[in-house]
Amino acid sequence: MNNNNQHKLDRFIDNAILLKKHFNFLSLLYGSLGLACLIKQDINVDDIDILIPEIYIKEKFNELEALLVNNGYKLIDLHEHTFIKDDIKYSYASIENLKEFADINLIDIKDNGVYKLLSLSQYLKVYSSSIKDSYRIINKNKNDLKKIKIIKDNL
């Protein structure tokens, strides 16, 4: 993993520890950074995608926001639940959506005591579902297809 991605992983771990300490849940490292960690290859990582319990997105977002702001993060997109700290964007979404979106059972996701990470076969389900999503077809389809190939090559 290149230095930039390693730096983002280190910042994600700091974030995961903060959330675990204050809210007692394990975050899921999602998106390109999570995939880069699994395959140990350099892929383009724009931001840090984090899945957390839905209650913190819907009902307790003010608590999440207050914790993050008090720790140097700034909310930059309320709709996408995106914060920025030290020029790194952190976007939060509901972990419960994985079941409907990619048929991934939450109980099947592995963790290391600090955070959760999908397996390669679970990432294949995610990106296979992503290429059917209208927003991603327009904006991310080439990248998603490349990631599917990378995942298949690594399985």
Side-chain angles (χ1 to χ4, degrees):
M1 188 169 352
N2 66 30
N3 288 341
N4 188 37
N5 287 353
Q6 183 62 52
H7 177 70
K8 286 179 181 163
L9 176 60
D10 293 342
R11 297 299 67 81
F12 164 76
I13 292 171
D14 292 343
N15 183 276
I17 290 169
L18 177 70
L19 295 177
K20 182 181 180 194
K21 178 181 173 188
H22 287 273
F23 297 124
N24 198 32
F25 64 74
L26 297 181
S27 305
L28 176 95
L29 178 57
Y30 197 58
S32 298
L33 184 58
L35 181 58
C37 288
L38 275 179
I39 62 173
K40 309 285 190 238
Q41 294 177 18
D42 293 332
I43 57 177
N44 185 37
V45 175
D46 295 327
D47 61 356
I48 301 173
D49 295 304
I50 304 167
L51 299 186
I52 63 175
E54 184 172 54
I55 193 168
Y56 293 96
I57 300 296
K58 293 189 174 180
E59 298 169 33
K60 296 185 177 184
F61 185 74
N62 289 343
E63 292 176 41
L64 175 67
E65 180 183 8
L67 175 66
L68 294 174
V69 168
N70 289 335
N71 282 276
Y73 298 78
K74 179 182 177 189
L75 180 63
I76 59 170
D77 186 335
L78 179 60
H79 183 261
E80 294 293 327
H81 308 102
T82 300
F83 293 78
I84 192 165
K85 181 178 180 181
D86 300 328
D87 295 325
I88 298 174
K89 291 181 182 176
Y90 300 73
S91 294
Y92 299 87
S94 167
I95 193 168
E96 287 86 349
N97 289 344
L98 279 176
K99 177 64 179 156
E100 183 180 337
F101 180 69
D103 194 32
I104 295 172
N105 291 314
L106 300 184
I107 198 165
D108 295 333
I109 300 171
K110 304 287 186 230
D111 73 75
N112 61 13
V114 178
Y115 62 92
K116 297 178 180 187
L117 187 63
L118 298 176
S119 67
L120 278 177
S121 60
Q122 289 168 330
Y123 260 108
L124 183 59
K125 286 181 168 185
V126 166
Y127 284 109
S128 295
S129 294
S130 293
I131 61 172
K132 299 172 191 168
D133 179 72
S134 59
Y135 168 81
R136 292 193 68 92
I137 288 170
I138 294 166
N139 296 290
K140 307 270 186 180
N141 200 30
K142 276 187 173 176
N143 288 336
D144 288 350
L145 291 171
K146 285 179 189 175
K147 288 174 188 164
I148 289 172
K149 182 180 181 337
I150 290 168
I151 293 166
K152 287 181 176 179
D153 290 348
N154 280 274
L155 277 172

